[in-house]
Amino acid sequence: MFFIEVILPLSLAKTFTYRVSEAEFHFIKKGMRVAVPFGKSKIYTALVSDIHENAPTLYDAKEIHQILDEKPIATETQIKHWLWVANYYMCGIGDVYRGAFPTGLLLESETIVSHKPEVVVNDSELSDDEFLVYEALQHQSSLKVQEIASILNKKNILPILQKLIARDIIVLEEEIKESYKPKLVRYVKLHSKYETDQGLSDLLDILRSDKQKEIVLAYFQISASEKKPITEKKLVEVSGSSSAVVKTLVKNEIFEEYYLQQDRVLFNGEKTDKELQLSEAQENAFLAIKDSFSEKEVCLLHGVTSSGKTEIYIKLIEEYLQTGRQVLYLLPEIALTTQLVSRLRLHFGDKVAVFHSKYSNNERVEVWKQTLENSEKAQIVIGARSALFLPFNDLGLLIVDEEHEQTFKQTDPAPRYHARDAAIVLANFHNAKVLLGSATPSIETYFNTQSEKYSLVTLTERYKNVRMPEVVLVDLKDKHFRKRMTGHFSDVLIEEIAEALSLGEQVILFQNRRGYSPIIECITCGHVPHCQQCDVSLTFHKFKNQLRCHYCGYAIAKPTHCHSCSSIDLTTKGFGTEQIEQELLSLFPKAKTARMDQDTTRGKFGFEKIIDTFKNREIDILVGTQMLAKGLDFDNVSLVGIMNADNMLHHPDFRAFERSFQMMTQVAGRAGRSEKQGKVVIQTYNPSHNTIQQVTNHNYIGMYKEQLYDRQIYRYPPYFRIIKLTIKHRDFDKLKEGSMWLYQVLSQNLNMPVLGPEEPVISRIRNEYIRTILIKIPQNLHLGNTKKTIQKMLNSFEAVAQYRAIKVTVNVDFY
């Protein structure tokens, strides 16, 4: 008897055993996919994790349906890493498998398939089975995989479907295609042969008609007054001529026309080989990093904002590519990948592959296969946290940029892993090096460098010695008292914006809340509309004129009168990005404004559209939420305004101060990234607050020491590890009883602080009540054993009949 162990893409903690024939046994290798029956009638795509000859004792092994791959599609190192993730973050191995694999490789009986309407298919190329599927989909828009199986009267239909998917005849349901063509703008510049003084006098002799002279003179006039590239449209407007004349001038080689997308490289007209001249400080940092890699596996590059960390990464990547090893570059935000890909493609051409969740299934499967084959096209993989799970052959270097970002931690669904920590373990398996980069490292990482676990390299000056932005604090108490506020703008901020706009520079305004205003309140009785399913007030979105819940998506039209006392006096409290955008329209009617938050960046290319237009300087003021704080790079921004620094500081979270410091420093770092020193205006009710003073003085070490002192007293990381249990149920009393039971069992069996069961700030979401329990594990205790103990207690909790319906989720290192 021959058997295989497989991982199923379900939230299950163990592997399952299936029976195979002798021929199959010799053919199958670890990391291949097989279609297996599971439960009464379902078929899943499972992954082979082991091959052996021991029959399972508890159940009869079923036979597999068939083998789906000819060679392994996942590597052994990869499976080893998954097991570590499952073990450390206390989730099922099936969760990790499901989260890691692109959906295109995970067909199952419930998957829905539909055909692509615009594809022309040659019937003669299809096999009989394929034709039957194709024909069935002509009559019915979409079918479940199970239904197709009954049409063909076959069990094994997954290979047929895979062929059809590969040929782009059918698509899986969850994909929605969206195509984005960047807007190309036509620019003109003087032909290079006329750039000398001699050339200019020749030029005026050549010009025949007055119209042509007018246009050329207009060109000089504009280029003298504005330092930016000149669009054809503007040239025609100023000279009062027509675009036909411009075309003639281009034809006669007096002007050259060129198109600009988001490329900054065209501005200086240099070849990209010259681009990478590291400054002295960068060169020193680069050599220090290389030295540190000989002693330690992990190095932290702590460089102030705009100190040119990306250039150092590129230099390092070059070195690793020469040794023929792969490089993985992780970023916190999908929005950042777009900016970075264009920068890296300049240096490495098509060796760069991109992998993140906004890509369609086919694109992700392609990158997966390229990485597996170690192909030329995937020598460098850039991605958000999910790129961690790709099947690398020989990983040499892992770069985690902006490592302090909280988006590296996955919250839902499981596996709830932290990409930075999982990356360090992955590098360990591959014997690779890790470089963490940040202007404001997280306290844990910095603590690790101080305790000599990681090495530390610092860059204290900005690239080209640009000065750090000047920070201006505005005391809102005082401004309100002196009646110097217009809406949510202080007089200082308005003056600064007006000045920046008059110089043709761009402005970024930061407000960490989307929507128009978080609360609508009745003046007569004080009633506030709440969500029916969650315990939160509804946020008003003026643009759609509705109130929405940001947790479950519930929405109602904006009420005309109060729902409890029918009064018509409703007022809004608090403010979000939409409201700031509205106020800007009345304050600066001529300026073009845009906002960047979750509502405006839905869809695959939402970010690019906004980033491109901002970069092409078509937008003067950009209002946004925390997306703006991530390392975006705009060279024309001279002013950054933080609308209200306090709502971050008072967040009920032990990292509130650290996060606020990071957020404000990062947002401030967007200002003045080229020659001129930038300005940052921070509006706050509490200008003497330590954290705000530390931001003003760019004092990271001060913040680090102060926070570390607090963390030690109150038993928080890095001195204690935290595991958070979230317990949910629709019945309030049952939840209360169950969570209390669990808490008592935990606190009796663990000799460490267990806090709870606590109602979180938002104690009900989607009609489920929530309680949380925190377990703080001191550094000197063995983490693995503690987790085993906790897991045992969770298992016994599930074994209690009346608590079986209560959901418990475990979040390790939830911060």
Side-chain angles (χ1 to χ4, degrees):
M1 298 284 275
F2 300 100
F3 298 97
I4 55 171
E5 286 293 315
V6 301
I7 303 170
L8 284 161
L10 301 168
S11 184
L12 298 164
K14 56 180 199 287
T15 55
F16 288 82
T17 315
Y18 282 85
R19 199 167 73 234
V20 291
S21 67
E22 187 171 349
E24 287 172 327
F25 179 78
H26 293 304
F27 177 73
I28 288 180
K29 295 186 183 58
K30 290 185 196 176
M32 284 186 176
R33 290 172 308 149
V34 288
V36 297
F38 186 74
K40 282 196 177 122
S41 59
K42 296 216 168 121
I43 299 173
Y44 289 104
T45 304
L47 192 76
V48 179
S49 63
D50 203 7
I51 304 165
H52 58 80
E53 298 184 18
N54 319 324
T57 47
L58 297 172
Y59 53 92
D60 281 342
K62 293 184 179 177
E63 282 191 11
I64 63 169
H65 268 326
Q66 91 242 52
I67 304 171
L68 295 176
D69 293 310
E70 282 157 30
K71 47 182 196 287
I73 197 163
T75 63
E76 292 200 26
T77 321
Q78 206 183 359
I79 296 175
K80 214 161 75 182
H81 183 234
W82 291 357
L83 286 163
W84 176 85
V85 170
N87 185 12
Y88 184 87
Y89 290 104
M90 297 174 73
C91 59
I93 179 72
D95 283 325
V96 186
Y97 166 48
R98 190 169 199 117
F101 255 65
T103 344
L105 297 171
L106 282 181
L107 290 175
E108 53 188 63
S109 49
E110 294 294 308
T111 311
I112 295 177
V113 181
S114 53
H115 84 107
K116 279 192 159 176
E118 65 279 0
V119 177
V120 179
V121 181
N122 183 355
D123 298 352
S124 57
E125 287 175 11
L126 302 177
S127 69
D128 295 349
D129 287 341
E130 288 170 352
F131 182 70
L132 277 173
V133 176
Y134 173 66
E135 202 178 39
L137 283 170
Q138 296 293 337
H139 297 303
Q140 204 171 341
S141 57
S142 61
L143 292 168
K144 280 192 180 170
V145 173
Q146 271 171 324
E147 297 166 342
I148 297 177
S150 59
I151 293 174
L152 297 179
N153 204 358
K154 273 189 178 176
K155 274 190 177 169
N156 309 346
I157 60 160
L158 299 188
I160 300 171
L161 293 182
Q162 284 200 296
K163 279 183 193 145
L164 287 170
I165 289 174
R167 290 169 55 180
D168 232 18
I169 294 170
I170 61 175
V171 286
L172 300 185
E173 191 64 352
E174 53 251 11
E175 298 178 58
I176 294 159
K177 275 278 191 304
E178 198 185 319
S179 64
Y180 160 56
K181 294 198 173 52
K183 184 171 158 195
L184 291 176
V185 183
R186 221 157 119 194
Y187 287 89
V188 288
K189 62 171 188 237
L190 201 58
H191 199 286
S192 45
K193 61 187 177 200
Y194 297 119
E195 277 175 358
T196 57
D197 294 342
Q198 180 56 43
L200 287 179
S201 55
D202 294 353
L203 174 63
L204 290 169
D205 300 342
I206 304 171
L207 294 175
R208 298 194 198 95
S209 70
D210 294 344
K211 278 205 167 154
Q212 292 183 347
K213 272 188 189 154
E214 267 171 25
I215 283 199
V216 174
L217 290 173
Y219 173 83
F220 285 121
Q221 204 179 333
I222 301 172
S223 60
S225 65
E226 294 186 14
K227 288 283 178 283
K228 54 185 182 187
I230 299 176
T231 60
E232 184 194 357
K233 188 169 144 209
K234 181 142 195 183
L235 191 57
V236 172
E237 267 172 28
V238 174
S239 62
S241 166
S242 69
S243 55
V245 187
V246 180
K247 278 205 179 98
T248 324
L249 286 173
V250 172
K251 212 165 79 185
N252 298 347
E253 291 199 340
I254 290 166
F255 279 149
E256 297 177 56
E257 62 174 358
Y258 60 105
Y259 289 95
L260 263 197
Q261 202 183 314
Q262 69 271 50
D263 270 11
R264 288 219 299 310
V265 190
L266 292 174
F267 279 95
N268 41 27
E270 294 166 293
K271 272 283 176 291
T272 46
D273 313 336
K274 283 191 205 164
E275 276 281 282
L276 263 194
Q277 288 285 310
L278 293 187
S279 65
E280 195 180 332
Q282 285 174 316
E283 191 63 47
N284 295 343
F286 174 61
L287 296 172
I289 291 169
K290 280 187 5 196
D291 289 347
S292 76
F293 277 159
S294 56
E295 295 163 27
K296 300 198 170 94
E297 301 297 307
V298 183
C299 175
L300 168 67
L301 172 61
H302 177 202
V304 294
T305 49
S306 181
S307 56
K309 294 187 281 287
T310 316
E311 280 79 18
I312 298 179
Y313 300 154
I314 291 177
K315 266 283 199 263
L316 266 175
I317 293 174
E318 274 174 7
E319 301 223 337
Y320 275 90
L321 288 188
Q322 281 159 11
T323 61
R325 301 182 73 182
Q326 289 167 302
V327 177
L328 171 61
Y329 192 142
L330 289 180
L331 290 159
E333 237 342 312
I334 296 175
L336 285 180
T337 51
T338 41
Q339 256 207 339
L340 192 84
V341 171
S342 48
R343 274 172 90 168
L344 287 187
R345 289 227 161 115
L346 289 172
H347 291 280
F348 305 111
D350 54 1
K351 288 184 179 171
V352 185
V354 187
F355 187 87
H356 58 62
S357 54
K358 289 218 175 155
Y359 267 34
S360 76
N361 268 321
N362 288 355
E363 291 170 299
R364 273 188 280 177
V365 173
E366 228 166 86
V367 176
W368 182 279
K369 294 202 164 134
Q370 286 167 354
T371 318
L372 185 64
E373 291 154 11
N374 202 349
S375 85
E376 269 297 290
K377 284 185 183 157
Q379 291 303 296
I380 308 168
V381 179
I382 302 182
R385 55 175 185 248
S386 52
L388 201 62
F389 292 125
L390 286 168
F392 294 99
N393 261 348
D394 180 16
L395 196 56
L397 174 68
L398 265 139
I399 297 173
V400 183
D401 198 9
E402 308 291 346
E403 62 85 27
H404 61 276
E405 272 305 338
Q406 57 210 43
T407 31
F408 276 129
K409 171 77 175 153
Q410 169 142 326
T411 44
D412 277 311
R416 296 177 178 79
Y417 62 98
H418 194 301
R420 176 195 62 213
D421 304 344
I424 291 172
V425 174
L426 179 67
N428 212 346
F429 286 148
H430 278 280
N431 206 357
K433 304 290 184 208
V434 182
L435 178 61
L436 308 173
S438 172
T440 49
S442 66
I443 286 184
E444 291 78 39
T445 305
Y446 206 77
F447 182 76
N448 279 333
T449 63
Q450 299 304 306
S451 57
E452 308 263 306
K453 197 168 153 191
Y454 303 166
S455 49
L456 172 68
V457 175
T458 43
L459 261 177
T460 47
E461 57 182 66
R462 290 183 127 187
Y463 188 57
K464 292 191 179 151
N465 270 338
V466 178
R467 286 178 307 171
M468 292 298 280
E470 171 195 353
V471 180
V472 182
L473 293 181
V474 175
D475 184 350
L476 289 178
K477 282 199 299 282
D478 183 55
K479 293 290 178 196
H480 274 295
F481 180 66
R482 295 171 189 271
K483 304 269 189 292
R484 296 234 175 111
M485 297 289 291
T486 312
H488 296 100
F489 290 83
S490 59
D491 52 353
V492 180
L493 184 55
I494 294 177
E495 276 164 32
E496 292 291 348
I497 295 178
E499 187 182 332
L501 293 178
S502 65
L503 293 171
E505 291 159 348
Q506 290 166 299
V507 181
I508 286 181
L509 295 177
F510 173 77
Q511 167 61 5
N512 215 355
R513 233 200 218 121
R514 61 199 174 98
Y516 182 82
S517 82
I519 293 175
I520 281 202
E521 187 181 56
C522 165
I523 300 176
T524 318
C525 72
H527 172 75
V528 175
H530 271 61
C531 172
Q532 293 183 347
Q533 310 169 25
C534 312
D535 184 17
V536 285
S537 57
L538 296 171
T539 306
F540 173 41
H541 286 244
K542 187 157 189 176
F543 174 62
K544 291 192 169 151
N545 203 23
Q546 55 174 213
L547 304 181
R548 330 178 46 123
C549 166
H550 284 181
Y551 286 86
C552 67
Y554 169 79
I556 58 172
K558 184 194 170 194
T560 49
H561 55 268
C562 169
H563 288 166
S564 88
C565 73
S566 301
S567 150
I568 51 171
D569 293 332
L570 299 179
T571 170
T572 59
K573 287 264 174 85
F575 62 112
T577 44
E578 273 190 33
Q579 190 164 353
I580 292 185
E581 194 185 19
Q582 291 264 309
E583 288 181 13
L584 281 171
L585 291 176
S586 57
L587 287 168
F588 302 101
K590 289 195 179 129
K592 289 207 173 81
T593 55
R595 82 191 144 88
M596 178 165 163
D597 53 31
Q598 260 194 326
D599 302 324
T600 56
T601 53
R602 312 224 170 225
K604 183 169 172 184
F605 293 108
F607 296 114
E608 280 100 320
K609 286 180 185 163
I610 295 176
I611 288 171
D612 281 0
T613 44
F614 193 61
K615 185 158 269 161
N616 285 344
R617 306 184 182 183
E618 290 167 33
I619 297 174
D620 301 315
I621 307 177
L622 183 60
V623 184
T625 56
Q626 58 209 13
M627 292 178 184
L628 291 175
K630 320 289 199 286
L632 293 168
D633 185 12
F634 303 114
D635 45 4
N636 190 36
V637 173
S638 66
L639 173 69
V640 168
I642 295 176
M643 298 304 296
N644 184 346
D646 305 320
N647 56 8
M648 295 184 279
L649 287 173
H650 304 317
H651 209 259
D653 168 26
F654 72 92
R655 312 185 72 127
F657 289 171
E658 177 194 351
R659 289 260 159 87
S660 307
F661 178 85
Q662 288 167 343
M663 191 77 98
M664 286 192 259
T665 308
Q666 291 286 352
V667 177
R670 304 300 130 234
R673 296 178 75 93
S674 49
E675 294 71 56
K676 191 180 160 206
Q677 181 184 17
K679 228 182 204 176
V680 181
V681 176
I682 299 180
Q683 302 195 138
T684 166
Y685 283 103
N686 198 350
S688 56
H689 192 289
N690 265 354
T691 308
I692 291 182
Q693 287 298 325
Q694 285 152 358
V695 173
T696 314
N697 305 323
H698 305 290
N699 179 5
Y700 175 79
I701 305 295
M703 189 274 306
Y704 168 73
K705 287 187 174 146
E706 184 188 350
Q707 289 308 310
L708 212 54
Y709 177 72
D710 279 359
R711 302 269 178 104
Q712 193 157 11
I713 299 176
Y714 297 113
R715 301 183 171 172
Y716 277 115
Y719 298 104
F720 280 72
R721 296 280 184 66
I722 299 188
I723 294 181
K724 174 172 161 190
L725 305 179
T726 309
I727 309 155
K728 299 181 183 171
H729 196 308
R730 292 190 159 220
D731 179 343
F732 183 77
D733 296 324
K734 188 178 248 185
L735 172 77
K736 197 170 158 187
E737 188 189 325
S739 56
M740 206 59 218
W741 186 93
L742 187 58
Y743 165 72
Q744 279 159 349
V745 173
L746 287 166
S747 52
Q748 281 157 13
N749 292 310
L750 299 170
N751 50 351
M752 57 187 76
V754 179
L755 311 177
E758 188 53 58
E759 285 197 12
V761 188
I762 290 162
S763 59
R764 183 174 63 118
I765 293 181
R766 295 198 178 88
N767 278 332
E768 289 183 316
Y769 291 96
I770 308 172
R771 291 287 168 105
T772 53
I773 293 178
L774 286 189
I775 303 165
K776 295 184 174 178
I777 308 173
Q779 271 182 325
N780 53 10
L781 284 184
H782 187 281
L783 198 62
N785 294 346
T786 313
K787 283 182 185 164
K788 276 181 192 146
T789 320
I790 295 173
Q791 192 58 55
K792 272 185 200 150
M793 289 180 252
L794 289 174
N795 294 345
S796 58
F797 177 72
E798 270 180 20
V800 180
Q802 76 236 44
Y803 300 147
R804 189 161 301 148
I806 299 179
K807 286 187 221 154
V808 180
T809 48
V810 184
N811 199 340
V812 179
D813 303 342
F814 71 93
Y815 38 84

PDB file of all heavy atoms in Angstrom, residues 12-28:
ATOM      1  N   LEU A  12      -7.665  23.858   8.295  1.00  0.00           N
ATOM      2  CA  LEU A  12      -7.467  22.644   9.095  1.00  0.00           C
ATOM      3  C   LEU A  12      -6.011  22.587   9.544  1.00  0.00           C
ATOM      4  O   LEU A  12      -5.112  22.929   8.782  1.00  0.00           O
ATOM      5  CB  LEU A  12      -7.787  21.402   8.259  1.00  0.00           C
ATOM      6  CG  LEU A  12      -9.242  21.347   7.783  1.00  0.00           C
ATOM      7  CD1 LEU A  12      -9.402  20.346   6.673  1.00  0.00           C
ATOM      8  CD2 LEU A  12     -10.156  21.003   8.943  1.00  0.00           C
ATOM      9  N   ALA A  13      -5.835  22.110  10.771  1.00  0.00           N
ATOM     10  CA  ALA A  13      -4.485  22.187  11.334  1.00  0.00           C
ATOM     11  C   ALA A  13      -3.599  21.032  10.907  1.00  0.00           C
ATOM     12  O   ALA A  13      -2.409  21.056  11.099  1.00  0.00           O
ATOM     13  CB  ALA A  13      -4.579  22.247  12.843  1.00  0.00           C
ATOM     14  N   LYS A  14      -4.182  19.954  10.358  1.00  0.00           N
ATOM     15  CA  LYS A  14      -3.322  18.806  10.055  1.00  0.00           C
ATOM     16  C   LYS A  14      -3.397  18.422   8.580  1.00  0.00           C
ATOM     17  O   LYS A  14      -4.244  18.899   7.842  1.00  0.00           O
ATOM     18  CB  LYS A  14      -3.698  17.624  10.945  1.00  0.00           C
ATOM     19  CG  LYS A  14      -5.160  17.207  10.871  1.00  0.00           C
ATOM     20  CD  LYS A  14      -5.378  16.013  11.812  1.00  0.00           C
ATOM     21  CE  LYS A  14      -6.624  15.234  11.501  1.00  0.00           C
ATOM     22  NZ  LYS A  14      -7.873  15.905  11.871  1.00  0.00           N
ATOM     23  N   THR A  15      -2.488  17.517   8.202  1.00  0.00           N
ATOM     24  CA  THR A  15      -2.500  17.021   6.822  1.00  0.00           C
ATOM     25  C   THR A  15      -3.351  15.748   6.776  1.00  0.00           C
ATOM     26  O   THR A  15      -3.646  15.155   7.803  1.00  0.00           O
ATOM     27  CB  THR A  15      -1.068  16.693   6.365  1.00  0.00           C
ATOM     28  OG1 THR A  15      -0.515  15.774   7.308  1.00  0.00           O
ATOM     29  CG2 THR A  15      -0.213  17.929   6.317  1.00  0.00           C
ATOM     30  N   PHE A  16      -3.732  15.331   5.554  1.00  0.00           N
ATOM     31  CA  PHE A  16      -4.563  14.136   5.411  1.00  0.00           C
ATOM     32  C   PHE A  16      -3.849  13.112   4.535  1.00  0.00           C
ATOM     33  O   PHE A  16      -3.023  13.468   3.698  1.00  0.00           O
ATOM     34  CB  PHE A  16      -5.915  14.513   4.793  1.00  0.00           C
ATOM     35  CG  PHE A  16      -6.790  15.261   5.762  1.00  0.00           C
ATOM     36  CD1 PHE A  16      -6.627  16.623   5.946  1.00  0.00           C
ATOM     37  CD2 PHE A  16      -7.739  14.601   6.514  1.00  0.00           C
ATOM     38  CE1 PHE A  16      -7.393  17.314   6.870  1.00  0.00           C
ATOM     39  CE2 PHE A  16      -8.507  15.285   7.441  1.00  0.00           C
ATOM     40  CZ  PHE A  16      -8.349  16.642   7.617  1.00  0.00           C
ATOM     41  N   THR A  17      -4.210  11.838   4.759  1.00  0.00           N
ATOM     42  CA  THR A  17      -3.541  10.769   4.032  1.00  0.00           C
ATOM     43  C   THR A  17      -4.461  10.229   2.944  1.00  0.00           C
ATOM     44  O   THR A  17      -5.644   9.993   3.198  1.00  0.00           O
ATOM     45  CB  THR A  17      -3.179   9.623   5.002  1.00  0.00           C
ATOM     46  OG1 THR A  17      -2.618  10.204   6.176  1.00  0.00           O
ATOM     47  CG2 THR A  17      -2.173   8.683   4.378  1.00  0.00           C
ATOM     48  N   TYR A  18      -3.931  10.047   1.743  1.00  0.00           N
ATOM     49  CA  TYR A  18      -4.699   9.461   0.626  1.00  0.00           C
ATOM     50  C   TYR A  18      -3.910   8.301   0.040  1.00  0.00           C
ATOM     51  O   TYR A  18      -2.679   8.245   0.147  1.00  0.00           O
ATOM     52  CB  TYR A  18      -4.969  10.527  -0.447  1.00  0.00           C
ATOM     53  CG  TYR A  18      -6.088  11.463  -0.069  1.00  0.00           C
ATOM     54  CD1 TYR A  18      -5.857  12.582   0.719  1.00  0.00           C
ATOM     55  CD2 TYR A  18      -7.400  11.213  -0.483  1.00  0.00           C
ATOM     56  CE1 TYR A  18      -6.897  13.422   1.092  1.00  0.00           C
ATOM     57  CE2 TYR A  18      -8.444  12.048  -0.134  1.00  0.00           C
ATOM     58  CZ  TYR A  18      -8.185  13.148   0.660  1.00  0.00           C
ATOM     59  OH  TYR A  18      -9.221  13.968   1.021  1.00  0.00           O
ATOM     60  N   ARG A  19      -4.648   7.385  -0.612  1.00  0.00           N
ATOM     61  CA  ARG A  19      -4.016   6.195  -1.161  1.00  0.00           C
ATOM     62  C   ARG A  19      -3.666   6.438  -2.631  1.00  0.00           C
ATOM     63  O   ARG A  19      -4.427   7.078  -3.354  1.00  0.00           O
ATOM     64  CB  ARG A  19      -5.003   5.025  -1.050  1.00  0.00           C
ATOM     65  CG  ARG A  19      -4.336   3.662  -1.153  1.00  0.00           C
ATOM     66  CD  ARG A  19      -5.258   2.546  -0.737  1.00  0.00           C
ATOM     67  NE  ARG A  19      -6.301   2.291  -1.732  1.00  0.00           N
ATOM     68  CZ  ARG A  19      -7.597   2.283  -1.458  1.00  0.00           C
ATOM     69  NH1 ARG A  19      -8.012   2.520  -0.229  1.00  0.00           N
ATOM     70  NH2 ARG A  19      -8.487   2.036  -2.391  1.00  0.00           N
ATOM     71  N   VAL A  20      -2.518   5.918  -3.077  1.00  0.00           N
ATOM     72  CA  VAL A  20      -2.135   6.034  -4.494  1.00  0.00           C
ATOM     73  C   VAL A  20      -1.659   4.668  -4.984  1.00  0.00           C
ATOM     74  O   VAL A  20      -1.305   3.798  -4.197  1.00  0.00           O
ATOM     75  CB  VAL A  20      -0.989   7.059  -4.696  1.00  0.00           C
ATOM     76  CG1 VAL A  20      -1.469   8.469  -4.436  1.00  0.00           C
ATOM     77  CG2 VAL A  20       0.207   6.747  -3.830  1.00  0.00           C
ATOM     78  N   SER A  21      -1.652   4.502  -6.301  1.00  0.00           N
ATOM     79  CA  SER A  21      -1.152   3.237  -6.865  1.00  0.00           C
ATOM     80  C   SER A  21       0.381   3.280  -6.897  1.00  0.00           C
ATOM     81  O   SER A  21       0.980   4.327  -6.701  1.00  0.00           O
ATOM     82  CB  SER A  21      -1.675   3.073  -8.286  1.00  0.00           C
ATOM     83  OG  SER A  21      -1.075   4.074  -9.095  1.00  0.00           O
ATOM     84  N   GLU A  22       0.987   2.142  -7.229  1.00  0.00           N
ATOM     85  CA  GLU A  22       2.451   2.092  -7.201  1.00  0.00           C
ATOM     86  C   GLU A  22       3.060   3.031  -8.246  1.00  0.00           C
ATOM     87  O   GLU A  22       4.016   3.751  -7.987  1.00  0.00           O
ATOM     88  CB  GLU A  22       2.935   0.656  -7.435  1.00  0.00           C
ATOM     89  CG  GLU A  22       4.430   0.539  -7.235  1.00  0.00           C
ATOM     90  CD  GLU A  22       4.907  -0.922  -7.253  1.00  0.00           C
ATOM     91  OE1 GLU A  22       4.055  -1.844  -7.209  1.00  0.00           O
ATOM     92  OE2 GLU A  22       6.124  -1.115  -7.332  1.00  0.00           O
ATOM     93  N   ALA A  23       2.463   3.017  -9.448  1.00  0.00           N
ATOM     94  CA  ALA A  23       2.988   3.883 -10.521  1.00  0.00           C
ATOM     95  C   ALA A  23       2.915   5.345 -10.091  1.00  0.00           C
ATOM     96  O   ALA A  23       3.874   6.114 -10.256  1.00  0.00           O
ATOM     97  CB  ALA A  23       2.188   3.670 -11.800  1.00  0.00           C
ATOM     98  N   GLU A  24       1.759   5.709  -9.504  1.00  0.00           N
ATOM     99  CA  GLU A  24       1.598   7.098  -9.054  1.00  0.00           C
ATOM    100  C   GLU A  24       2.607   7.418  -7.959  1.00  0.00           C
ATOM    101  O   GLU A  24       3.192   8.499  -7.928  1.00  0.00           O
ATOM    102  CB  GLU A  24       0.169   7.314  -8.503  1.00  0.00           C
ATOM    103  CG  GLU A  24      -0.883   7.356  -9.597  1.00  0.00           C
ATOM    104  CD  GLU A  24      -2.309   7.374  -9.047  1.00  0.00           C
ATOM    105  OE1 GLU A  24      -2.557   6.762  -7.985  1.00  0.00           O
ATOM    106  OE2 GLU A  24      -3.164   8.002  -9.668  1.00  0.00           O
ATOM    107  N   PHE A  25       2.809   6.432  -7.090  1.00  0.00           N
ATOM    108  CA  PHE A  25       3.719   6.625  -5.963  1.00  0.00           C
ATOM    109  C   PHE A  25       5.122   7.015  -6.439  1.00  0.00           C
ATOM    110  O   PHE A  25       5.782   7.870  -5.872  1.00  0.00           O
ATOM    111  CB  PHE A  25       3.780   5.336  -5.137  1.00  0.00           C
ATOM    112  CG  PHE A  25       4.702   5.412  -3.953  1.00  0.00           C
ATOM    113  CD1 PHE A  25       4.294   6.057  -2.800  1.00  0.00           C
ATOM    114  CD2 PHE A  25       5.966   4.830  -3.987  1.00  0.00           C
ATOM    115  CE1 PHE A  25       5.137   6.119  -1.693  1.00  0.00           C
ATOM    116  CE2 PHE A  25       6.805   4.893  -2.890  1.00  0.00           C
ATOM    117  CZ  PHE A  25       6.386   5.548  -1.728  1.00  0.00           C
ATOM    118  N   HIS A  26       5.559   6.359  -7.533  1.00  0.00           N
ATOM    119  CA  HIS A  26       6.910   6.661  -8.015  1.00  0.00           C
ATOM    120  C   HIS A  26       6.957   7.963  -8.802  1.00  0.00           C
ATOM    121  O   HIS A  26       8.008   8.565  -8.949  1.00  0.00           O
ATOM    122  CB  HIS A  26       7.447   5.498  -8.866  1.00  0.00           C
ATOM    123  CG  HIS A  26       7.660   4.262  -8.035  1.00  0.00           C
ATOM    124  ND1 HIS A  26       8.471   4.262  -6.921  1.00  0.00           N
ATOM    125  CD2 HIS A  26       7.147   3.010  -8.135  1.00  0.00           C
ATOM    126  CE1 HIS A  26       8.456   3.063  -6.365  1.00  0.00           C
ATOM    127  NE2 HIS A  26       7.665   2.280  -7.077  1.00  0.00           N
ATOM    128  N   PHE A  27       5.791   8.380  -9.310  1.00  0.00           N
ATOM    129  CA  PHE A  27       5.763   9.595 -10.130  1.00  0.00           C
ATOM    130  C   PHE A  27       5.631  10.861  -9.264  1.00  0.00           C
ATOM    131  O   PHE A  27       6.237  11.884  -9.530  1.00  0.00           O
ATOM    132  CB  PHE A  27       4.584   9.514 -11.118  1.00  0.00           C
ATOM    133  CG  PHE A  27       4.429  10.756 -11.957  1.00  0.00           C
ATOM    134  CD1 PHE A  27       5.321  11.037 -12.988  1.00  0.00           C
ATOM    135  CD2 PHE A  27       3.398  11.656 -11.713  1.00  0.00           C
ATOM    136  CE1 PHE A  27       5.183  12.182 -13.764  1.00  0.00           C
ATOM    137  CE2 PHE A  27       3.254  12.806 -12.481  1.00  0.00           C
ATOM    138  CZ  PHE A  27       4.150  13.068 -13.499  1.00  0.00           C
ATOM    139  N   ILE A  28       4.833  10.741  -8.200  1.00  0.00           N
ATOM    140  CA  ILE A  28       4.527  11.927  -7.383  1.00  0.00           C
ATOM    141  C   ILE A  28       5.748  12.407  -6.604  1.00  0.00           C
ATOM    142  O   ILE A  28       6.504  11.618  -6.070  1.00  0.00           O
ATOM    143  CB  ILE A  28       3.387  11.599  -6.387  1.00  0.00           C
ATOM    144  CG1 ILE A  28       2.076  11.471  -7.141  1.00  0.00           C
ATOM    145  CG2 ILE A  28       3.264  12.676  -5.313  1.00  0.00           C
ATOM    146  CD1 ILE A  28       0.895  11.143  -6.269  1.00  0.00           C
TER     147      ILE A  28
END
